[in-house]
Amino acid sequence: MERGSSEPPESRNSCSAPSTSSGPMPIPRSASISCHPHPGSKKHKRTPLYQRSMSFDPGMLHNNGHTAYANGTGPGIRETGVVEKLLTSYGFIQCSERQARLFFHCSQYNGNLQELKIGDDVEFEVSSDRRTGKPIAVKLLKIKPEVLPEERISGQVVSAIPVHLDGKSAPGQVPTGSVCYERNGEVFYLTYTPEDVEGNIHLDTGDKVCFYMETNKLTGAVSARSIQLVKKKQMRCQGVVCATKEAFGFIERADVVKEIFFHYSEFKGDLEALQAGDDVEFTIKDRNGKEVATDVRLLPQGTVIFEDISIEQFEGTVMKVIPKVPTKNQNDPLPGRISARIGFTDKELPFGEKDTKSKVTLLEGDHIQFNISTDRRDKLERATNIDILSNTFNFTKETREMGVIAAIRDGFGFIKCVDRDARMFFHFSEVLEETQLHISDEVEFTVVPDMLSAQRNHAVRIKKLPKGTVSFHTQSEQRFMGVVEKDIVAATNKNASPTKGKEKEAEEGVIAYEDCGVKLTVPYHSKDLEGVGNPQIGDKVEFSINEVKRTGQQSAVSIRVVNRSIPNGKRLQGFIATLKDNFGFIETANHDQEIFFHYSEMCGDLENLELGDTVEYSLSKGKGNKVSAEKVTKVAGVSVFSEDVGAAVMVGKIIRPLRSVDPSQNEYQGLIEITEEGGSKGQHYPFGIMGMVNKADCLQKGEVVKFQVCTVTQTGQKMACNVVPQRRAAVECVKDQFGFITYEVGESKKLFFHVKEVQDGLELQTGDEVEFTVVFNQRTGKCSACNVRRVSEGPKPVATPRPDRLVNRLKSITLDDTSAPRLVIVRQPRGPDNSKGFSLERKTRQPGVID
């Protein structure tokens, strides 16, 4: 741009001044200039322009670029700069080619002031303020940024502008993000602002972008501009595996209510460990127009949360139950409905199969408690953790029945009903309150038809009842006396199956009795007998009458034999030799054999039966022609060995115990060998249970005993009687929890005992004299002591004095002896109060003297 005008004299004088200088005038790079020829001078050659053309007055060079005219009307230089500060009506420009900061008024801007912003490049002229004389910028013109002929750079967002700051920031601050790009193996980072992003979109970290680089002329900082989004970063989604097939599965997404397909080849991990319910994260890709999950990876259990469950529990009523067999048209995943009053409003909440705490059948009208679950994805509310309240049976119209658990299998069982003949099937999942049922437990339940078979019923909503609640019958309080008219005959068939055989054995017997002068009969079963064997025909019995509620059928129960009828068979006498759990053995009157008997053959109270009691019995042969005693009756005791008992007391050793002590031997009788010196040494005498003073003593092989010799009247055999064991010995040693007694039993010279067997909890010491009982372990074949009682204490151990040689050596050491061992104090002790030394005065110890 050239400007043609007459120049004032001052301008010409200033222009002529450089002719006297030694070198050419330097031309600033801020603008390209041209000089106008002065009148009467030789015409100058036109100077080429740099970037822009503007008028040039050489006189301006000597006034720092300011015009010489006070009013600023003279010609001036066009400069460039950057808007540094912009207020409502004025601003400041930082000159690009020199260190100067110029004021400007907004009225001097040629253009739309709304488009002028801080950092914009402008072109202006320099003038002087009329009032202050300071240089100011006038005739401002915005310079459009030049588009450099460079290619876009590809990069990636490394730090996105926070969403809450996108387009907003504190006054005087602009929110920024950063992008990076790679060049020659190096990574460079550039900042950007929201205005540098094209399309008014928000960039996320990891997004692929392309951009131009721009250098701030004022600060020299490089930034990115004209940023374009190339590819959005693939976001990682979360979900839960909801189904697994042979080669693929489905994931329930955590961001939307939707399932997504994935192939097992996309799972990064141990495929064998993957199962439904696992939390995973994945990337969504579009394949053949469908979304699929890729790069599936496991997350820690509990990472994915679909819903928020209320802490508060609510109560409500079931309005619609979930059908056991879903219909074909049922698409609702939450078909159940619950009505509840929450706050001050009535709500109807849906629920599904997984929302109940147990699998107990729900019925319409059930009174329940539940929590409210709110789905984070679509804010859907539903009832969950549904639990039936104990008072629900007061609200429902169901008919409750009672019964007893008759059988239990793996996961199911059968109930014997009070009001039904057939047993009722039930599943463990139908048990309320998570109680464990056992056979004979009394229960209450509801009967519903089976959904798969209308002809069958099953029990649901089973509740355990206290013992004694369920009664199948009524029992008379009155006791009746009667006589067995027909006994229970166990008729068996060799070719019949075991089950049918048992049914045959359950044949009932008949009892005849009188009630108010009327002769009546009543049946009975073996299960109703009390502590006796099967009564025989003619036995007198006492009983009660039981009537079944369902059928009215009567039977005799709580049957007790009062008096047995004595048959023509011979009655024998014997003595109780052994008592086991449900059987025992009787020693014959000759004391040489034992006879087996079962407790069911005992007439009378078993609680009063003890070893050595005299009984009467009859012999019978059972299976395999084995002889056993039946109809055993306790009688008054008789004197056994009072007739011919020798006065001499002998000492002997058990060389064979009774068979009750050692069941492996064939002989019943035990055997004693005389060990004391004399003419009878080495003689053997048998003994039985009646020959022992204490019938509960288990005499073991090798034990020393004292006894007398008697003669059996029936056989004339000499036997040992009044046998008393000599079980007093000294404790040899005591270990931590056991010890040994110096006592010979069998081949062992020592007898083991445990400290728990010591009476009164005493601590035995070596040498203590004790009394004890010997027991034989059938499994190990060894004897041990029990019921150990201390009789007297052994001698107290005396502390061993120091040897004379040691005492003499200590006495020979003096404090002045240089060869004696000495202690050197390395560090003085320090007390709790941080004081040094000992609180007590230390005395010199004399060698060989103990305080």
Side-chain angles (χ1 to χ4, degrees), residues 5 17 118 146 227 231 247-248 401 412 414 426 514 540 737 748:
S5 62
I118 294 175
E146 299 178 7
I227 302 174
K231 184 180 181 181
F248 60 91
E401 298 186 18
F412 64 93
F414 293 90
F426 74 94
E514 286 188 5
K540 189 176 182 180
Q737 294 293 325
S748 176

Side-chain angles (χ1 to χ4, degrees), residues 641 658 687-699 720-724:
F641 303 116
L658 292 174
F687 71 96
I689 189 71
M690 299 305 295
M692 298 167 55
V693 175
N694 185 3
K695 306 298 188 293
D697 269 338
C698 296
L699 299 179
C721 64
N722 299 329
V723 180
V724 179

Side-chain angles (χ1 to χ4, degrees), residues 575-579 585 609-613 689-690 695-697:
F575 311 95
I576 299 297
T578 306
L579 293 173
F585 290 91
L609 194 64
E610 297 179 355
L611 294 176
D613 285 349
I689 189 71
M690 299 305 295
K695 306 298 188 293
D697 269 338

Side-chain angles (χ1 to χ4, degrees), residues 340-521:
R341 187 169 184 83
I342 300 173
F344 298 99
T345 59
D346 293 331
K347 278 191 175 182
E348 186 174 270
L349 299 172
F351 69 92
E353 292 183 358
K354 298 181 180 179
D355 291 320
T356 56
K357 277 190 175 180
S358 64
K359 294 184 179 180
V360 177
T361 300
L362 286 177
L363 298 179
E364 292 183 2
D366 266 337
H367 192 202
I368 52 133
Q369 68 178 9
F370 60 93
N371 298 93
I372 295 180
S373 170
T374 305
D375 198 308
R376 292 183 174 183
R377 299 168 292 181
D378 58 0
K379 305 305 178 184
L380 174 67
E381 288 185 342
R382 76 175 197 279
T384 189
N385 296 333
I386 300 171
D387 196 13
I388 300 176
L389 294 175
S390 58
N391 63 348
T392 187
F393 304 112
N394 301 330
F395 298 91
T396 57
K397 299 179 181 179
E398 59 189 309
T399 302
R400 302 289 285 173
E401 298 186 18
M402 292 190 292
V404 175
I405 302 297
I408 289 179
R409 301 289 186 266
D410 187 13
F412 64 93
F414 293 90
I415 300 174
K416 181 182 178 182
C417 305
V418 173
D419 301 322
R420 298 173 185 263
D421 294 332
R423 290 184 175 185
M424 193 63 59
F425 170 87
F426 74 94
H427 198 276
F428 285 173
S429 61
E430 291 290 346
V431 180
L432 292 168
E433 300 174 356
E434 297 182 357
T435 53
Q436 187 173 2
L437 295 181
H438 303 86
I439 293 178
S440 300
D441 281 349
E442 300 175 13
V443 293
E444 182 186 54
F445 55 92
T446 301
V447 177
V448 297
D450 195 325
M451 292 294 179
L452 302 178
S453 176
Q455 289 76 22
R456 293 192 308 175
N457 295 329
H458 63 272
V460 297
R461 302 158 66 87
I462 300 167
K463 181 180 179 181
K464 188 175 180 180
L465 298 176
K467 284 289 185 183
T469 305
V470 178
S471 176
F472 291 86
H473 48 73
T474 56
Q475 185 172 325
S476 64
E477 296 181 359
Q478 180 184 357
R479 298 283 287 176
F480 297 90
M481 300 294 293
V483 177
V484 176
E485 192 175 85
K486 177 185 176 183
D487 59 356
I488 298 175
V489 180
T492 58
N493 186 358
K494 293 183 180 180
N495 298 325
S497 65
T499 305
K500 292 182 179 179
K502 288 181 181 179
E503 292 176 355
K504 191 67 176 178
E505 290 176 359
E507 184 180 352
E508 61 186 21
V510 178
I511 299 174
Y513 71 103
E514 286 188 5
D515 185 15
C516 299
V518 180
K519 291 185 178 182
L520 302 170
T521 59

Side-chain angles (χ1 to χ4, degrees), residues 510-791:
V510 178
I511 299 174
Y513 71 103
E514 286 188 5
D515 185 15
C516 299
V518 180
K519 291 185 178 182
L520 302 170
T521 59
V522 62
Y524 73 94
H525 302 85
S526 59
K527 64 181 179 62
D528 297 317
L529 300 175
E530 287 187 351
V532 296
N534 293 335
Q536 306 295 323
I537 296 176
D539 287 350
K540 189 176 182 180
V541 294
E542 183 184 30
F543 60 93
S544 299
I545 294 180
N546 175 75
E547 183 175 333
V548 180
K549 289 182 178 180
R550 187 175 67 254
T551 61
Q553 183 180 359
Q554 292 184 342
S555 63
V557 296
S558 303
I559 304 168
R560 184 173 62 88
V561 177
V562 177
N563 189 14
R564 286 189 178 271
S565 61
I566 304 299
N568 296 329
K570 184 179 179 181
R571 298 284 288 173
L572 302 177
Q573 194 176 67
F575 311 95
I576 299 297
T578 306
L579 293 173
K580 299 293 185 181
D581 291 337
N582 53 9
F583 64 93
F585 290 91
I586 299 174
E587 184 181 277
T588 60
N590 296 335
H591 313 289
D592 57 351
Q593 291 182 354
E594 60 180 357
I595 304 296
F596 170 86
F597 77 98
H598 196 272
Y599 287 171
S600 62
E601 296 293 341
M602 184 67 197
C603 300
D605 191 1
L606 280 169
E607 299 295 331
N608 298 327
L609 194 64
E610 297 179 355
L611 294 176
D613 285 349
T614 305
V615 294
E616 285 186 351
Y617 61 94
S618 301
L619 293 178
S620 66
K621 289 187 178 182
K623 296 180 180 180
N625 289 329
K626 290 184 178 181
V627 179
S628 62
E630 64 177 6
K631 299 182 181 179
V632 182
T633 307
K634 182 178 178 180
V635 296
V638 296
S639 166
V640 181
F641 303 116
S642 60
E643 298 180 2
D644 186 11
V645 178
V649 179
M650 302 180 183
V651 178
K653 181 173 66 174
I654 303 294
I655 60 175
R656 186 180 69 204
L658 292 174
R659 188 158 63 184
S660 59
V661 176
D662 184 9
S664 61
Q665 65 187 32
N666 296 325
E667 299 82 0
Y668 161 71
Q669 290 179 319
L671 202 61
I672 301 175
E673 180 184 17
I674 298 177
T675 57
E676 63 180 351
E677 298 294 335
S680 301
K681 182 179 181 180
Q683 289 187 3
H684 296 170
Y685 290 96
F687 71 96
I689 189 71
M690 299 305 295
M692 298 167 55
V693 175
N694 185 3
K695 306 298 188 293
D697 269 338
C698 296
L699 299 179
Q700 305 291 336
K701 181 179 179 180
E703 287 199 78
V704 177
V705 295
K706 288 185 178 181
F707 66 96
Q708 294 172 289
V709 178
C710 66
T711 304
V712 180
T713 305
Q714 294 88 336
T715 61
Q717 181 185 15
K718 291 186 177 296
M719 296 183 64
C721 64
N722 299 329
V723 180
V724 179
Q726 301 298 302
R727 292 172 176 165
R728 179 175 291 192
V731 177
E732 181 178 277
C733 63
V734 179
K735 305 295 183 182
D736 183 22
Q737 294 293 325
F738 62 92
F740 291 93
I741 301 173
T742 307
Y743 187 79
E744 183 177 353
V745 180
E747 299 178 357
S748 176
K749 303 292 183 181
K750 301 177 185 179
L751 186 63
F752 170 89
F753 73 93
H754 198 277
V755 295
K756 292 182 180 179
E757 296 292 342
V758 180
Q759 295 182 0
D760 301 328
L762 299 176
E763 293 186 6
L764 298 180
Q765 304 292 334
T766 302
D768 289 351
E769 188 175 12
V770 294
E771 289 183 348
F772 50 89
T773 303
V774 179
V775 294
F776 179 74
N777 191 321
Q778 298 286 349
R779 184 174 59 82
T780 62
K782 295 182 179 180
C783 296
S784 62
C786 64
N787 300 326
V788 181
R789 183 177 66 87
R790 185 169 67 184
V791 178

Side-chain angles (χ1 to χ4, degrees), residues 1 3 30-32 51-55 76-83 93-97 102 104 108-111 116 120-126 136-144 217:
M1 181 178 62
R3 186 172 304 194
S30 60
S32 300
Q51 295 178 352
R52 301 181 184 88
S53 299
M54 64 182 65
S55 301
I77 302 174
R78 297 293 289 177
E79 291 190 30
T80 59
V82 179
V83 177
I93 299 174
Q94 179 68 43
C95 298
S96 299
E97 286 79 10
L102 300 180
F104 74 92
Q108 293 294 322
Y109 177 69
N110 185 15
L116 186 63
D120 285 350
D121 292 334
V122 293
E123 183 184 62
F124 57 91
E125 291 183 7
V126 179
I136 61 173
V138 296
K139 299 182 181 179
L140 277 71
L141 184 64
K142 185 176 179 180
I143 303 173
K144 294 183 179 179
K217 296 180 180 179

